[in-house]
Amino acid sequence: MAQTDKSVTSVRFLHLLQDGNGDSLHTLLDSGVKNRISAGQLALMWKQIEGGLGLGNFIDTAGYLYEYGTAYLGLEFEKGTLDLVLHYSDKDQITGFFVRPPHNKTPYRIPAYADTSAFLEIDYPLHREGTLPGKLCLPKGKGPFPLVILGHGSGPNSLDENMGPNRVFRDLAYGLASQGIAVYRFDKRTLVYGARIMEHYDSFTLWEETIHDLVYLADTFAGHPSILPSSIHVLGHSLAGLAAPRVAQQSKHVKSIILMGAPATPLDSLVLYQYTYLDSLDPSGTYYQALKNVREEVEYLRSDDFGPETGREWLPLQLPALYWMDLLAYDPVKTACNLDIRILVLQAKDDYQVPSPELQRWKEGLKACPARAFYLEFEGLGHGFFESEGIEGPAQYEKQHSVSPAVIQSIRNFIRP
């Protein structure tokens, strides 16, 4: 098959995904892949991509590249872009596929607060049920050093946690490592093994998405010769902030958690808020249908009809029933309340995804608890903890900024008071 033929096949694959035509999609797959994913699962994938990642409606394709047996098809949505990645066999059948954040071509700008001569950046993969690429920023000089492990927000995030041209996790890693604190970041499991996860998606929960890897890392790094085992900290951004109390509950080696833009509100309520907010910004009605769908899905989730056998097409973000059952049974504030550790809650005033009132919910929930909690709110910052410039909604992420130096210093002071 020539390159031009692969482009035709790749675009056809996309159109069949959008149409929910699982039977036709199945015919494009290599026999080994066909045995691992059903036509019914394929039929639901587009709804998961479009709704589940919170990117809004699909607009158009945005470029095509083919090299070394892999096709990359750019997908443009209302709130961001993705790459649809298709691997082809020698017989020109599709052997694997997944979506991932696009490779951002904007060169990384090292923040003024980062001193790259003060630390080493080491390739350090996470080996657990496969391999996840990772990097350890290790300060130079005599250790051992405190360690911060970075946990991602929702979606298939890279180790830099890209938000447009911004690299939130790289900024955090470089800023903290410049001040004598080791930092570990890694590609999220849903980015590296998205296709494998889809094979068993009905049993997928927050544990598989993020908690297990963070627990494993905390326990593993406790035995690292350059890491101070009494000073291992988990920083959870957004969804991982919601999950962080469970990480600390599961690992005795986690000495504190840092909740960065972390929701205290149940996720179904937060998703409904986000779509209502986005609809309010756009009088053209771009989000009207998506908001209508989310309202119906949340209503179903809260009804007596919801149960473990409910198909994910009926549920918010098209997450499986077990994922939602796990979340509905979990209260991150109460779980954090019962932890005998220090907690730092960071909130950005202009965060539209996890809005400012969430900070007060954490304060109210933790005020009479054994956990020793500290709270900071930052004016003029958005969900990525870089400058919002007063811009509302997803457009906050379009300009290149660095994570605020005040955020870096606050985390440093919490870890090394």
Side-chain angles (χ1 to χ4, degrees):
M1 185 186 292
Q3 177 173 335
T4 53
D5 294 329
K6 285 192 177 67
S7 70
V8 171
T9 303
S10 300
V11 171
R12 181 170 178 242
F13 186 93
L14 170 63
H15 290 163
L16 292 171
L17 271 181
Q18 292 172 297
D19 294 341
N21 191 335
D23 290 330
S24 295
L25 282 166
H26 218 240
T27 66
L28 299 178
L29 303 182
D30 177 79
S31 58
V33 182
K34 287 179 181 178
N35 295 331
R36 301 200 304 269
I37 188 166
S38 69
Q41 289 173 310
L42 289 168
L44 295 174
M45 285 191 65
W46 183 254
K47 197 173 183 183
Q48 167 69 20
I49 292 168
E50 191 170 43
L53 298 180
L55 294 175
N57 297 322
F58 175 72
I59 298 173
D60 203 351
T61 54
Y64 172 82
L65 172 68
Y66 177 81
E67 58 182 6
Y68 307 115
T70 301
Y72 303 85
L73 188 62
L75 309 178
E76 182 181 358
F77 296 84
E78 291 160 338
K79 291 172 61 180
T81 56
L82 292 171
D83 280 346
L84 173 61
V85 182
L86 301 165
H87 296 301
Y88 284 90
S89 70
D90 293 339
K91 296 180 180 179
D92 299 322
Q93 290 181 305
I94 294 169
T95 59
F97 59 92
F98 57 92
V99 292
R100 69 172 191 185
H103 176 68
N104 195 287
K105 297 180 175 60
T106 304
Y108 178 64
R109 185 172 61 200
I110 298 173
Y113 50 71
D115 178 4
T116 55
S117 68
F119 61 89
L120 300 172
E121 187 172 29
I122 305 162
D123 286 332
Y124 200 96
L126 188 169
H127 297 294
R128 189 192 71 77
E129 296 182 13
T131 299
L132 304 179
K135 288 185 182 292
L136 176 64
C137 285
L138 194 64
K140 293 180 181 178
K142 184 175 174 57
F145 302 99
L147 172 71
V148 175
I149 301 167
L150 303 182
H152 315 77
S154 58
N157 280 293
S158 73
L159 56 81
D160 283 344
E161 201 185 44
N162 296 53
M163 299 178 73
N166 305 288
R167 278 79 156 181
V168 176
F169 278 7
R170 194 189 294 195
D171 288 350
L172 289 170
Y174 284 16
L176 293 171
S178 297
Q179 300 198 50
I181 298 169
V183 181
Y184 185 75
R185 66 196 202 276
F186 62 101
D187 280 349
K188 194 174 175 182
R189 187 163 296 273
T190 48
L191 173 65
V192 179
Y193 292 113
R196 181 186 297 182
I197 288 168
M198 288 305 298
E199 296 170 19
H200 309 285
Y201 198 55
D202 288 343
S203 60
F204 182 69
T205 69
L206 192 60
W207 172 261
E208 287 80 17
E209 182 173 7
T210 193
I211 296 171
H212 195 174
D213 284 327
L214 293 173
V215 169
Y216 176 84
L217 286 166
D219 292 345
T220 301
F221 271 114
H224 192 290
S226 297
I227 300 303
L228 190 63
S230 61
S231 190
I232 294 177
H233 315 267
V234 170
L235 185 155
H237 183 214
S238 197
L239 181 69
L242 179 146
R246 284 176 68 178
V247 176
Q249 188 182 55
Q250 294 291 324
S251 174
K252 65 181 181 181
H253 296 111
V254 175
K255 301 307 177 185
S256 82
I257 53 176
I258 301 163
L259 311 182
M260 190 168 159
T265 296
L267 188 60
D268 57 319
S269 297
L270 188 67
V271 170
L272 187 56
Y273 160 80
Q274 290 173 349
Y275 275 91
T276 302
Y277 171 81
L278 291 169
D279 185 61
S280 73
L281 292 183
D282 188 358
S284 69
T286 300
Y287 290 93
Y288 173 79
Q289 186 59 47
L291 175 59
K292 181 175 181 292
N293 292 343
V294 168
R295 281 176 175 155
E296 292 173 354
E297 291 157 359
V298 169
E299 183 179 354
Y300 192 97
L301 178 71
R302 296 171 179 175
S303 75
D304 292 338
D305 293 328
F306 170 67
E309 302 303 319
T310 300
R312 56 191 174 90
E313 68 271 19
W314 298 97
L315 300 174
L317 307 180
Q318 285 64 63
L319 292 168
L322 287 182
Y323 192 103
W324 280 111
M325 293 179 74
D326 177 56
L327 277 187
L328 293 172
Y330 169 54
D331 186 328
V333 180
K334 285 184 178 179
T335 303
C337 181
N338 292 321
L339 299 171
D340 188 19
I341 62 172
R342 298 168 72 237
I343 300 174
L344 177 62
V345 184
L346 304 179
Q347 178 67 47
K349 185 73 171 177
D350 292 347
D351 188 337
Y352 80 91
Q353 291 186 246
V354 180
S356 185
E358 294 299 290
L359 181 64
Q360 190 59 36
R361 294 187 177 97
W362 283 106
K363 286 183 177 180
E364 288 295 321
L366 297 178
K367 64 183 179 182
C369 301
R372 301 175 300 284
F374 306 85
Y375 310 91
L376 289 170
E377 186 169 38
F378 299 89
E379 295 281 346
L381 305 185
H383 189 57
F385 285 77
F386 47 80
E387 291 180 26
S388 66
E389 298 187 8
I391 299 168
E392 295 183 307
Q396 286 181 355
Y397 309 145
E398 292 176 2
K399 286 188 177 182
Q400 186 174 23
H401 293 287
S402 298
V403 170
S404 167
V407 173
I408 302 292
Q409 197 60 39
S410 298
I411 297 170
R412 184 267 177 210
N413 292 344
F414 176 74
I415 293 172
R416 306 189 78 161

